[in-house]
Amino acid sequence: MGTYLLDFDWTVMAPELVIVITAALLTILDLILKEKHSYPVTKFLSIWAVGLAGYFVITGWGDSSYQILADTYRVDPFSLLFKGIFLLGTLFILLFSFAKKRINEYYYLLLTALLGAMMMVSAADLITLYVGLELLSISSYILVGIQKRKKQANEAAWKYMILGGASSAFILYGMSFLYGLSGSTNLYVIQQAVQEGLTSGYGAFVYLSFALIIIGFGFKISTAPFHTWAPDVYQGAQAPITTFLASISKAAGFALMLRVLILAFSPLFTTGDWERLVSPLLLTLAALSMIVGNTVALKQTNAKRLMAYSSIAQAGYLLVPLATMGMLLFPSMAFYLIVYIMMVIAAFVIVEQVTDATGDDDIRAFAGLYQRSPLLSLIMTVLLISLAGLPITAGFVGKVLLISNAIYTQHFVITFIMIATTVISYYYYFGIIRQIYFRSPANQNPIPIRWEQGLILGVSIAMVLGLGLFPGYLIQFLGEVDWGSAFQMATNSGR
Amino acid sequence: MILNGEFIAFFILSVMAIGGAVFMINATRVMHMALSLAFTFFSIAGIYLLLNAMFIAVIQILIYTGAISILMLFGIMLTKHRDEDRPAISTRHLGISFGVVFLFLGGILFVIYQTPLMGEGTAPLTVQELGTSVFKQYVIPFELASVLLLVALVGAIILAKKEEE
């Protein structure tokens, strides 16, 4: 086994390389070309890069896991699946962004944010994971603040940067204790050291680092009580960026959390501390997010803030399998994440178009949508039903999977909270539906929808209904993925 | 407690570092804040030196005490700012913040004092070893960090430049 990068089969990094090269190319082309030419080129290149990276992810699917330079980069089914999710989501967000004229750097920053997210799922080394996280975070701070003249955007960017920076500091501080315990940044070495540390009096160290890391991750995936930044940031940022934060950024946070917690802190399972301490802690966070997110959403009248609180609640649902573990941990989480991303992107597309056409950020903007654009209001209705988790939609199947995993592992209190808060959430989701059908519109003009947005809505609605009616294929596919390989050493065989 | 040269040096340096930080928070002029921060950075470099981390100590002086402080001073001088800046914070807010910070500090001190830390210093890392490690084992995160810096640069430019039209 070599010790230089080129001793390894570096073609496994193809998806990341495509994104890096395109991002670099975009900055250069921006200099060379005139603005008139560079804008369409930028749009085309970013779509092309995401598509090509997606092609490499698909062709790499099914290969055995492979690591480069002591796991500072690794590919396994876990990372490939998440990369696929990020690329599909980013493709839609790029299409969504085309609706308005934006500066070229917008696309460059979106690609680097995507690169950060991709690196966060393809390493088992704290340094790569942290740099990936920061790449995603810093690109997002800039993207939120890109509208300099808008006061709300400035406020959002400041809040996001300060709280995001503080949460990164918490994660880094927690990681430093892990490094101190093991003398290595490799998660497998850390796992060994934690195992030994727990039996030789270093238990307090492990818990301190765990607590710090959980606080940091809590901010990143916006679970209560660390959620306060989310509504302001979601409201202040441009709609595609809000969508990116609510979908890709959150999914990347969850993937990172899965990898770090399960790898570094797995010795806690054998000592029984996971069941005794960690699981109740994570369940408390999940329960708080569901309760706070869903109850505060009841009072919201701003459409984007309402979606922000809804996404806080969804983070709570997604946290449950990680806390309870169990057979369906990965399939249920991956299924819900895929469905959630599709729902949230499509819902934000409609929210943006409707509030834009009406010139009002309030959910009043939806008043009488049925009379203005019947097809659009039907799509929105299906999406809201899916977000609420009612039958024949994919959201229902996802929630059933999450809840059945909680029941299977005999956590009945959290199951009750999940069901109760879901019922509460009907109220505000149906509040929008009531506006759509039972209120009279301000005017009769139909809502304009561009073809890119039509494409996003078409694909999402097909997936939400398709996976709601025939969820078996995806569940079977996710069930057959070799999740365990993400947490075992890569042997680098077969290359 | 053994009163040797190392302990005295550590004591002086840490008092300087903490003193600088306290001055930074309490100063009313922005310029004083920047200078006290530079003072703290400098003292921390001394602590690194005590810990046998020569390379980091030099880098700390070069980057933090030198570059960052100068950058901040330039930033202050080149931008319009109100010289006396005293944000109004309610006492309740202040109390809560201090309470949380003290709890946090107490928790961390408790854990550190409970843990049997072995006092065997490792051999100082040479610059050569550091370089080998960065460019061999950690070359991927290193390259990723350069993308990160580029992003920060692009971001700084688009946020700072005047809008056209």
Side-chain angles (χ1 to χ4, degrees):
Chain A
M1 208 37 50
T3 49
Y4 291 96
L5 177 59
L6 293 181
D7 294 341
F8 291 89
D9 179 15
W10 53 271
T11 52
V12 294
M13 296 168 69
E16 281 83 2
L17 290 175
V18 169
I19 302 290
V20 167
I21 292 168
T22 315
L25 210 61
L26 286 186
T27 47
I28 297 170
L29 285 179
D30 196 19
L31 279 180
I32 300 171
L33 296 177
K34 282 207 182 75
E35 167 121 23
K36 195 173 59 183
H37 304 297
S38 74
Y39 189 64
V41 170
T42 304
K43 285 191 346 186
F44 171 76
L45 270 183
S46 37
I47 286 283
W48 177 84
V50 171
L52 189 65
Y55 167 78
F56 283 125
V57 166
I58 291 167
T59 51
W61 183 259
D63 293 350
S64 57
S65 43
Y66 190 81
Q67 61 85 20
I68 294 176
L69 292 170
D71 285 297
T72 51
Y73 182 92
R74 63 175 286 144
V75 277
D76 44 43
F78 176 86
S79 64
L80 281 177
L81 184 82
F82 271 99
K83 269 182 232 179
I85 296 176
F86 298 158
L87 288 165
L88 184 67
T90 312
L91 187 69
F92 282 178
I93 287 164
L94 281 171
L95 288 173
F96 184 10
S97 307
F98 291 167
K100 279 186 190 155
K101 176 93 172 68
R102 295 167 205 280
I103 54 172
N104 293 341
E105 286 86 353
Y106 174 97
Y107 295 99
Y108 165 78
L109 289 168
L110 209 53
L111 286 185
T112 51
L114 168 68
L115 177 71
M118 283 162 78
M119 290 308 286
M120 277 163 73
V121 296
S122 44
D125 187 280
L126 291 182
I127 293 188
T128 314
L129 292 176
Y130 183 74
V131 177
L133 174 68
E134 279 305 278
L135 185 57
L136 170 64
S137 309
I138 289 181
S139 307
S140 315
Y141 306 151
I142 303 165
L143 283 170
V144 170
I146 215 162
Q147 299 165 287
K148 290 182 285 187
R149 296 275 168 261
K150 216 175 123 194
K151 213 175 155 201
Q152 263 184 350
N154 280 333
E155 185 195 333
W158 266 109
K159 277 191 180 154
Y160 192 29
M161 195 185 82
I162 289 173
L163 287 177
S167 66
S168 294
F170 271 108
I171 293 177
L172 202 58
Y173 198 23
M175 285 177 171
S176 77
F177 280 106
L178 288 181
Y179 176 75
L181 206 60
S182 62
S184 167
T185 53
N186 185 297
L187 281 173
Y188 298 101
V189 181
I190 289 172
Q191 191 178 22
Q192 290 289 320
V194 168
Q195 177 90 55
E196 287 160 22
L198 279 176
T199 53
S200 57
Y202 287 96
F205 244 53
V206 175
Y207 291 122
L208 179 61
S209 113
F210 181 83
L212 292 169
I213 286 180
I214 282 292
I215 292 174
F217 282 155
F219 271 107
K220 296 285 177 203
I221 57 173
S222 70
T223 53
F226 312 112
H227 65 285
T228 43
W229 58 272
D232 290 337
V233 172
Y234 284 16
Q235 191 186 2
Q238 289 169 302
I241 300 307
T242 307
T243 318
F244 186 83
L245 296 180
S247 56
I248 312 295
S249 192
K250 195 165 268 196
F254 269 106
L256 182 64
M257 206 164 162
L258 277 177
R259 176 94 76 178
V260 172
L261 292 193
I262 293 182
L263 257 180
F265 296 102
S266 63
L268 293 174
F269 291 118
T270 44
T271 58
D273 287 330
W274 187 280
E275 207 42 46
R276 220 173 40 211
L277 280 168
V278 175
S279 181
L281 180 77
L282 289 174
L283 285 178
T284 314
L285 282 184
L288 267 179
S289 306
M290 287 185 256
I291 294 168
V292 171
N294 280 323
T295 48
V296 181
L298 294 177
K299 288 190 296 185
Q300 299 302 318
T301 51
N302 182 296
K304 272 180 166 177
R305 285 185 89 85
L306 186 121
M307 291 300 290
Y309 279 105
S310 141
S311 97
I312 292 166
Q314 308 281 4
Y317 295 118
L318 276 163
L319 205 54
V320 173
L322 178 61
T324 60
M325 293 287 144
M327 289 264 290
L328 286 172
L329 162 61
F330 296 110
S332 66
M333 230 171 145
F335 187 93
Y336 200 74
L337 263 178
I338 293 172
V339 172
Y340 167 71
I341 287 178
M342 299 311 294
M343 294 187 296
V344 103
I345 293 176
F348 266 113
V349 168
I350 297 181
V351 167
E352 165 76 352
Q353 283 314 107
V354 171
T355 51
D356 225 35
T358 321
D360 188 1
D361 278 351
D362 200 273
I363 51 169
R364 274 195 312 262
F366 283 93
L369 186 67
Y370 184 67
Q371 292 168 41
R372 298 172 71 180
S373 307
L375 185 62
L376 200 63
S377 46
L378 272 180
I379 294 176
M380 189 64 183
T381 311
V382 173
L383 289 172
L384 288 170
I385 287 175
S386 184
L387 278 166
L390 285 174
I392 78 140
T393 57
F396 172 70
V397 181
K399 278 229 171 89
V400 166
L401 282 176
L402 292 178
I403 289 175
S404 55
N405 190 50
I407 294 176
Y408 177 77
T409 52
Q410 311 212 319
H411 290 82
F412 298 115
V413 178
I414 198 75
T415 312
F416 171 74
I417 295 175
M418 284 166 91
I419 295 171
T421 51
T422 302
V423 173
I424 293 174
S425 74
Y426 294 161
Y427 183 80
Y428 60 85
Y429 289 127
F430 282 97
I432 302 180
I433 294 180
R434 200 177 58 213
Q435 291 279 354
I436 293 176
Y437 292 99
F438 302 117
R439 292 283 180 276
S440 48
N443 57 50
Q444 294 291 337
N445 306 340
I447 306 291
I449 289 285
R450 290 164 56 98
W451 69 268
E452 299 103 341
Q453 293 168 328
L455 186 69
I456 301 171
L457 294 180
V459 174
S460 325
I461 212 73
M463 271 182 82
V464 166
L465 284 177
L467 290 175
L469 291 170
F470 312 102
Y473 298 107
L474 184 61
I475 295 176
Q476 198 185 2
F477 171 75
L478 291 172
E480 281 166 2
V481 171
D482 184 10
W483 298 100
S485 64
F487 306 100
Q488 284 152 9
M489 296 268 226
T491 50
N492 280 9
S493 58
R495 307 260 174 154
Chain B
M1 199 176 289
I2 320 133
L3 202 65
N4 55 10
E6 193 182 326
F7 178 76
I8 295 168
F10 175 74
F11 186 77
I12 293 172
L13 284 170
S14 35
V15 166
M16 276 164 63
I18 296 169
V22 171
F23 268 113
M24 194 228 134
I25 297 170
N26 279 330
T28 45
R29 283 166 179 269
V30 195
M31 195 66 90
H32 292 177
M33 289 182 187
L35 286 177
S36 8
L37 200 61
F39 197 66
T40 302
F41 288 150
F42 193 71
S43 322
I44 289 173
I47 293 178
Y48 286 146
L49 213 59
L50 280 184
L51 291 169
N52 261 342
M54 310 291 174
F55 182 69
I56 296 186
V58 173
I59 291 295
Q60 170 84 13
I61 292 178
L62 273 180
I63 307 278
Y64 282 90
T65 322
I68 302 260
S69 307
I70 297 286
L71 204 67
M72 274 194 291
L73 291 181
F74 264 106
I76 293 165
M77 283 188 224
L78 290 179
T79 52
K80 275 179 277 175
H81 64 280
R82 267 174 296 149
D83 212 7
E84 302 271 330
D85 194 40
R86 202 96 191 110
I89 305 175
S90 68
T91 19
R92 198 169 61 97
H93 205 109
L94 207 68
I96 294 172
S97 310
F98 267 105
V100 171
V101 169
F102 270 111
L103 269 182
F104 184 63
L105 180 73
I108 288 190
L109 284 181
F110 174 75
V111 169
I112 289 175
Y113 277 102
Q114 232 196 5
T115 308
L117 289 176
M118 257 76 81
E120 273 171 58
T122 43
L125 186 79
T126 62
V127 181
Q128 192 181 2
E129 280 166 354
L130 191 70
T132 325
S133 157
V134 166
F135 289 104
K136 270 167 91 177
Q137 196 194 337
Y138 291 108
V139 67
I140 294 170
F142 175 78
E143 290 299 330
L144 201 62
S146 57
V147 177
L148 178 67
L149 286 179
L150 190 64
V151 166
L153 211 63
V154 170
I157 291 170
I158 55 174
L159 291 183
K161 84 170 177 196
K162 284 210 183 91
E163 237 146 339
E164 288 134 41
E165 294 136 71

